[in-house]
């Protein structure tokens, strides 16, 4: 208030001074005054002097009172000290690895550290956490600028430079001019200072470059949605999504530990659906926090519905869709098209050739667009020429495709992709890279009604899936082929696809589905009258019937197959049919019938070794063992193992021949050798993800462990075997596994637990009667004291059957 009064006095006195000065000049130049003022005219100059002294004194007094509110430079540096503009850190959980990487970059004294990442990934929080930890190293100030690079109206470098210079106390008249002069003045001011800059949400290198300090004692931390490759002197760290543990911790912070502890599985599902994106997790947590009555499982179910996920991830002004949309709208038209095509790609990772097919543009245009999308952090590139989208950007891309692309063009795009995959189909690297994409594309093609293209792709890729470990992909490929052939009303194609599907079902442990496919294929083959197809259908159905322990029907089908292959002079087919028929006899413990059938199959084998040698020699080895011809059995087993490992090898054959060697060792009393072979068999089938083989190996371990008195090992292995069979829907084998478990429990002195598991086993087996089941039941009765234990019975030999 005092300062205001002084300003008023200065104004009044200055006005009087101006009037008297005019009077004095007038008198001095010969002018006159009104008569009444003539007596005092001589005093005009002294009065001017007095007033001038008063004005000077008042001006000094005003300065001592300090600046007035609103006067001077509005953004001048405060007298209290250097600027400290860093906002508080919020929303950062975990990030131990990212913080460690940035610390390593700082130790190498990089002057510019750029943090790039997709929208909502938490770049700003990470940058502020780093900056707050470094404040003591930069005593001359910490400056922060929100550059709004993701918005339609980014901040200009000139505006940022002017504000930064003001914060450092630079006069207003030195804060004007073009960006080049402001940048030069900025670098001059920083030359002898230690200042930390945080430049958040940069649009591009052109926006940031003028803001960078020139000296070595300053640090700039920059965040952006795209990689700023052209930024001079910068080192870049790409910030990805949170790992599952950190994502769960963020959800706990949002909704509370009690709710997460009450529904831990649902909490993990929510974190998974959010794809590790902190923005999505904060929104999900925020929605749950203000809805305390919601069950986490219900919200997880909502997020897992891809049609609802982006709608569910919205809270007030926060929305994943809006965050992605801001980046999308900044893209040029061709990049938006390629982005939509990436989202529309059926599989998880697409090659450049697939993107070219989907868009219809040339390779150079598409490659350039894909690389720009990688720089914009909307698309990832796990390997050169390979691209992928995380779930949330993919869902956004699908939304934009449905909104912006005509249905006819989307269908044409898929047709071009199918044609490209069919044309490129080849073994080796292509198959390794594209197998998941092929399976997904076939499903999409059938759903879209592109049956001819679906058949072409399945028939091109199906034969390439020839390795034992390919069985997982064979089933969906040939299932799609069956649907396509049925839609095209082409029975010859249907027979081929049904047979392949039956083999694939058997390998997957879906024994009932395998029989259904084989039975249908046989009916069509008989109607069409083609003898080679009929022979293969008989073989396929016979093997499926054998897996279901239907001996008479299986024997009839396999005998017909042997005879028909012999009539066709197809030695390879006859060998396969005889091997299947001999295995059937062994499954039902008729070694005397199996030996001559299998000896004829061995006699038909060509001189050149092959995987077929492993199967046929291995089957005859088992028949000899069951017939008591142990020396011949061991010799043939060694030959079968060599054949299974020769060339590229066959993991199926290797696994089952290891089982043959294990049973030989077990019968010789070499328990450790037997268990070692069974464990190697288990490892082979686990590597292949073949549940039936894993279950059979575990059954073998259980039986050998029981005989050796290792009851705990036997109980654990037999229970694991039963669970494997139950998972594939093979109730009979699951029941057999439970009988092994009951026997192990009884041998371990746990009769009540054994009886309970026995009841479960009988319910699973039902009316089916595998030949080893009566023996297992008799053994159980003996162990439980219901009757004397029977004499030793034949060892289970179901493991010797040849998969399709």
């Amino acid at each position: 208030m005092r300062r205001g009064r002084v300003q008023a006095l200065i104004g009044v006195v200055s006005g009087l001074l101006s009037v008297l000065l005019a009077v004095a000049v007038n008198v001095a130049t010969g002018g006159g005054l009104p008569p009444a003022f003539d007596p005092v005219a001589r005093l005009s100059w002294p009065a001017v002097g007095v007033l001038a002294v008063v004005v000077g004194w008042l001006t000094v007094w005003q300065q001592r009172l300090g600046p007035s509110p609103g006067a001077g430079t509005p953004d001048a540096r405060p007298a209290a000290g250097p600027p400290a503009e860093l906002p508080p850190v919020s929303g950062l959980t975990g990030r131990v690895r990212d913080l460690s990487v940035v610390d390593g970059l700082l130790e190498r004294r990089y002057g510019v550290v750029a943090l790039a990442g997709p929208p909502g990934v938490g770049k700003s929080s990470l940058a502020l956490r780093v900056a707050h930890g470094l404040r003591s190293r930069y005593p001359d100030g910490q400056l922060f600028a929100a550059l709004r690079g993701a918005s339609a109206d980014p901040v200009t470098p000139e505006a940022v430079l002017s504000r930064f210079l003001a914060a450092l106390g630079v006069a207003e008249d030195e804060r004007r001019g073009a960006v080049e002069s402001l940048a030069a003045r900025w670098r001059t001011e920083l030359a002898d200072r230690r200042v930390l800059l945080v430049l958040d949400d940069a649009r591009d290198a052109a926006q940031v470059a003028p803001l960078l300090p020139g000296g070595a004692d300053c640090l700039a931390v920059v965040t952006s949605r795209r990689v700023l490759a052209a930024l001079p002197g910068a080192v870049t760290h790409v910030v990805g999504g949170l790992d599952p543990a950190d994502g769960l911790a963020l959800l706990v912070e949002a909704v509370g530990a009690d709710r997460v502890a009450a529904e831990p599985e649902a909490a993990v599902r929510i974190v998974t659906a959010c794809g590790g994106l902190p923005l999505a997790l904060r929104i999900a947590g925020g929605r749950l926090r203000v809805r305390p009555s919601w069950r986490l499982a219900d919200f997880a179910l909502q997020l897992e519905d891809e049609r609802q996920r982006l709608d569910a991830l919205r809270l007030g002004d926060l929305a994943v869709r809006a965050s992605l949309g801001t980046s999308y709208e900044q893209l040029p038209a061709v990049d938006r098209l390629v982005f939509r095509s990436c989202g529309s790609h059926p599989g998880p990772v697409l090659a450049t050739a697939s993107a070219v097919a989907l868009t219809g543009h040339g390779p150079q245009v598409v490659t350039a667009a894909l690389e720009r999308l990688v720089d914009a952090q909307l698309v990832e590139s796990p390997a050169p020429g390979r691209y992928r989208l995380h779930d949330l950007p993919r869902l956004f891309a699908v939304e934009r495709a449905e909104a912006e692309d005509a249905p006819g063009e989307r269908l044409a795009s898929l047709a071009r992709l199918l044609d490209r995959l069919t044309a490129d189909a080849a073994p080796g690297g292509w198959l390794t890279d594209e197998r998941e994409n092929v399976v997904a594309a076939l499903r999409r093609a059938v759903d879209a009604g592109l049956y001819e293209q679906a058949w072409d792709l399945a028939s091109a890729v199906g034969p390439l899936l020839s390795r034992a470990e390919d069985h997982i992909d064979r089933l969906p490929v040939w299932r799609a082929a069956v649907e396509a052939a049925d839609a095209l009303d082409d029975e010859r194609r249907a027979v081929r696809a049904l047979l392949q599907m039956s083999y694939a079902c058997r390998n997957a442990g879906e024994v009932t589905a395998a029989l259904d496919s084989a039975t249908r294929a046989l009916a069509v083959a008989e109607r069409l009258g083609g003898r080679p197809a009929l022979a293969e259908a008989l073989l396929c159905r016979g093997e499926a019937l054998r897996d279901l322990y239907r001996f008479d029907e299986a024997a009839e089908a396999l005998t017909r197959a042997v005879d028909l292959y012999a009539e066709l002079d197809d030695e390879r087919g006859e060998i396969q049919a005889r091997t299947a028929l001999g295995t059937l006899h062994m499954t039902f413990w008729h070694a005397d019938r199996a030996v001559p059938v299998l000896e004829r199959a061995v006699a038909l084998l060509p001189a050149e070794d092959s995987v077929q040698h492993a199967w046929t020699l291995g089957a005859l080895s088992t028949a000899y063992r069951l017939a008591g011809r142990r020396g011949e059995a061991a010799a043939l087993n060694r030959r079968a193992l060599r054949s299974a490992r020769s060339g590229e090898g066959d993991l199926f054959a290797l696994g089952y021949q290891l089982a043959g060697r294990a049973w030989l060792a077990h019968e010789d009393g070499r328990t450790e050798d037997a268990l070692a072979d069974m464990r190697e068999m288990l490892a082979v089938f686990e590597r292949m993800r073949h549940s039936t083989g894993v279950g059979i190996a575990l059954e073998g371990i259980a039986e050998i462990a029981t005989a050796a008195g290792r009851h705990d090992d036997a109980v654990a292995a037999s229970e694991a075997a039963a669970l494997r069979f139950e998972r594939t829907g093979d109730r009979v084998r699951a029941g057999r596994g439970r009988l092994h478990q009951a026997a192990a429990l009884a041998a371990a002195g746990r009769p009540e637990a054994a009886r309970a598991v026995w009841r479960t086993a009988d319910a699973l087996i039902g009316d089916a009667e595998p030949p080893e089941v009566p023996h297992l039941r008799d053994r159980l009765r003996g162990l439980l004291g219901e009757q004397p234990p029977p004499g030793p019975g034949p060892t289970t030999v179901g493991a010797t059957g040849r998969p399709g």
Side-chain angles (χ1 to χ4, degrees):
M1 187 177 293
R2 291 174 60 197
R3 193 178 186 284
R5 290 173 180 172
V6 172
Q7 284 180 322
L9 284 172
I10 291 174
V12 171
V13 175
S14 296
L16 291 173
L17 178 62
S18 299
V19 171
L20 285 176
L21 183 61
V23 170
V25 172
N26 181 57
V27 170
T29 55
L33 293 174
F37 291 98
D38 282 341
V40 294
R42 67 180 183 276
L43 299 176
S44 58
W45 281 110
V48 168
V50 171
L51 288 174
V53 171
V54 171
V55 169
W57 179 76
L58 288 173
T59 301
V60 172
W61 188 19
Q62 178 198 28
Q63 294 299 321
R64 288 181 176 178
L65 290 175
S68 63
T73 306
D75 53 359
R77 176 181 171 181
E85 298 183 351
L86 297 180
V89 184
S90 62
L92 187 72
T93 299
R95 294 294 187 191
V96 173
R97 188 188 70 83
D98 293 293
L99 290 168
S100 175
V101 170
V102 174
D103 284 345
L105 298 176
L106 294 172
E107 288 176 3
R108 292 156 64 186
R109 300 190 62 78
Y110 282 103
V112 182
V113 176
L115 305 177
V121 81
K123 305 177 293 296
S124 300
S125 296
L126 178 61
L128 288 172
R129 166 71 71 83
V130 170
H132 276 284
L134 297 172
R135 288 184 60 182
S136 61
R137 300 188 196 179
Y138 298 92
D140 296 319
Q142 305 92 41
L143 297 169
F144 176 86
L147 301 181
R148 299 202 308 268
S151 72
D153 183 27
V155 180
T156 63
E158 295 94 317
V160 178
L161 287 168
S162 179
R163 192 180 69 74
F164 278 179
L165 288 168
L168 294 180
V170 175
E172 182 178 0
D173 59 352
E174 296 184 54
R175 293 187 268 118
R176 304 191 185 98
V179 65
E180 292 82 3
S181 59
L182 286 171
R185 179 63 176 158
W186 168 241
R187 290 191 292 273
T188 300
E189 287 294 323
L190 295 183
D192 297 319
R193 304 190 198 215
R194 297 179 64 83
V195 172
L196 170 63
L197 310 176
V198 176
L199 306 173
D200 187 45
D201 192 18
R203 187 182 189 88
D204 51 32
Q207 184 190 30
V208 175
L211 311 179
L212 299 180
D217 294 329
C218 295
L219 172 66
V221 180
V222 185
T223 74
S224 63
R225 294 191 175 192
R226 61 177 65 243
V227 175
L228 307 180
L231 195 62
V235 61
T236 299
H237 172 60
V238 176
V239 182
L242 295 173
D243 62 37
D246 285 346
L248 193 61
L250 182 55
L251 189 65
V252 168
E253 286 183 9
V255 304
D258 291 344
R259 288 179 76 182
V260 170
E263 298 183 79
E265 183 182 347
V268 170
R269 288 163 56 198
I270 291 171
V271 172
T272 301
C274 290
L277 193 68
L279 172 63
L281 284 164
R282 286 200 300 273
I283 293 172
R287 293 198 68 193
L288 289 167
R289 185 171 58 251
V290 298
R291 295 166 175 82
S293 62
W294 277 24
R295 294 176 63 245
L296 268 61
D298 293 335
F299 189 55
L301 197 62
Q302 186 178 353
L303 291 177
E304 286 166 349
D305 184 346
E306 293 191 347
R307 297 166 298 177
Q308 299 186 57
R309 191 177 304 172
L310 291 178
D311 289 327
L313 293 175
R314 182 183 186 90
L315 179 67
D317 294 334
L318 291 176
V320 172
R321 181 185 285 113
S323 179
L324 292 166
T326 302
S327 295
Y328 177 76
E329 292 302 326
Q330 293 177 6
L331 300 173
V334 66
D335 292 15
R336 291 200 296 269
L337 171 62
V338 173
F339 177 68
R340 296 196 301 271
S341 299
C342 290
S344 300
H345 184 253
V349 179
L350 81 162
T352 305
S354 295
V356 168
L358 287 166
T359 62
H361 285 285
Q364 290 184 330
V365 171
V366 172
T367 300
L370 285 167
E371 291 301 318
R372 288 193 296 268
L373 289 169
V374 172
D375 291 340
Q377 296 294 295
L378 288 171
V379 172
E380 289 188 341
S381 180
R386 309 285 294 175
Y387 303 90
R388 70 183 174 203
L389 277 72
H390 278 304
D391 267 0
L392 295 175
R394 178 182 59 79
L395 293 177
F396 179 78
V398 170
E399 270 193 359
R400 298 319 312 152
E402 291 176 349
E404 299 180 36
D405 299 333
E409 174 50 35
R410 294 203 298 273
L411 192 63
S413 175
L414 177 59
R416 291 194 299 268
L417 174 64
L418 294 166
D419 291 342
R420 170 50 52 196
L421 290 172
T422 302
D424 290 347
W430 181 91
L431 185 62
T432 300
D433 290 340
E434 297 292 342
R435 60 172 64 233
E436 287 185 82
N437 296 328
V438 166
V439 170
L442 281 169
R443 185 69 265 154
R444 185 81 61 84
V446 171
D447 291 343
L450 296 174
Y451 303 119
E452 196 67 50
Q453 288 95 333
W455 174 263
D456 289 344
L457 180 56
S459 58
V461 174
L464 303 180
L465 298 169
S466 58
R467 298 180 305 165
E469 53 267 44
D470 293 335
H471 72 96
I472 290 176
D473 297 313
R474 274 201 294 270
L475 182 53
V477 166
W478 288 112
R479 181 175 283 131
V482 169
E483 293 183 50
D486 286 345
L488 294 168
D489 196 23
D490 189 324
E491 289 192 323
R492 294 191 182 278
R493 290 180 180 179
V495 169
R496 177 185 172 194
L498 284 164
L499 291 172
Q500 294 300 324
M501 183 175 166
S502 179
Y503 291 137
C505 285
R506 289 185 57 238
N507 291 339
E510 299 179 16
V511 289
T512 303
L515 178 60
D516 292 342
S517 296
T519 299
R520 187 181 158 207
L522 178 59
V524 177
E526 287 178 327
R527 185 166 59 252
L528 294 176
R531 297 173 75 202
L534 179 60
E536 186 175 3
L538 286 165
L539 170 60
C540 187
R541 186 169 188 272
E543 290 186 305
L545 287 164
R546 183 191 66 207
D547 289 347
L548 291 168
Y549 300 100
R550 291 161 61 174
F551 178 81
D552 292 337
E553 296 170 88
E556 180 186 0
L558 292 174
T559 300
R560 285 183 61 194
V562 169
D563 293 341
L564 191 50
Y565 277 123
E567 292 174 16
L568 292 168
D569 200 24
D570 183 343
E571 290 188 347
R572 182 178 179 82
E574 184 179 349
I575 292 168
Q576 189 172 350
R578 284 182 173 276
T579 302
L581 180 58
T583 301
L584 172 68
H585 289 310
M586 287 188 292
T587 300
F588 285 83
W589 299 341
H590 302 313
D592 54 330
R593 300 184 194 175
V595 168
V597 172
L598 292 168
E599 285 179 335
R600 173 58 182 161
V602 170
L604 291 172
L605 286 170
E608 184 178 354
D609 198 13
S610 68
V611 171
Q612 193 170 40
H613 285 65
W615 288 111
T616 308
L617 294 171
L620 183 56
S621 170
T622 300
Y624 281 162
R625 176 172 63 83
L626 295 177
R629 298 163 64 173
R630 298 187 49 74
E632 295 167 281
L636 284 177
N637 177 257
R638 287 192 292 272
R639 289 178 58 191
L641 278 168
R642 282 197 302 271
S643 297
R645 290 188 169 111
S646 65
E648 295 184 359
D650 184 295
L651 292 180
F652 268 126
L654 176 60
Y656 286 124
Q657 304 328 309
L658 286 167
R661 189 169 71 180
W663 291 123
L664 285 165
H666 174 58
E667 292 174 4
D668 286 344
R670 294 182 287 113
T671 299
E672 294 306 323
D673 290 343
L675 286 173
D677 280 335
M678 281 296 181
R679 291 188 184 111
E680 186 177 352
M681 175 191 181
L682 177 64
V684 167
F685 285 123
E686 283 179 335
R687 172 184 164 190
M688 294 167 55
R689 294 180 291 172
H690 184 248
S691 290
T692 299
V694 168
I696 290 172
L698 287 167
E699 278 188 333
I701 291 172
E703 188 166 344
I704 295 168
T706 298
R710 302 179 184 180
H711 302 306
D712 290 342
D713 292 343
V715 170
S718 55
E719 182 176 18
L723 289 172
R724 282 284 182 166
F725 293 131
E726 287 170 5
R727 211 169 291 155
T728 62
D730 191 341
R731 294 174 60 86
V732 176
R733 284 196 175 111
R736 187 181 69 192
R738 292 296 179 190
L739 285 175
H740 279 292
Q741 182 186 359
L745 288 166
R750 298 166 60 187
E752 293 307 315
R755 288 188 176 92
V757 173
W758 187 353
R759 288 192 293 271
T760 300
D762 285 347
L764 288 166
I765 293 170
D767 295 333
E769 274 298 314
E772 64 269 27
V773 165
H775 168 70
L776 284 170
R777 286 176 178 151
D778 288 344
R779 183 178 172 201
L780 262 172
R781 291 187 185 97
L783 288 167
L784 294 171
E786 297 181 8
Q787 68 176 44
T795 302
T796 299
V797 296
T800 60
R802 183 193 192 283

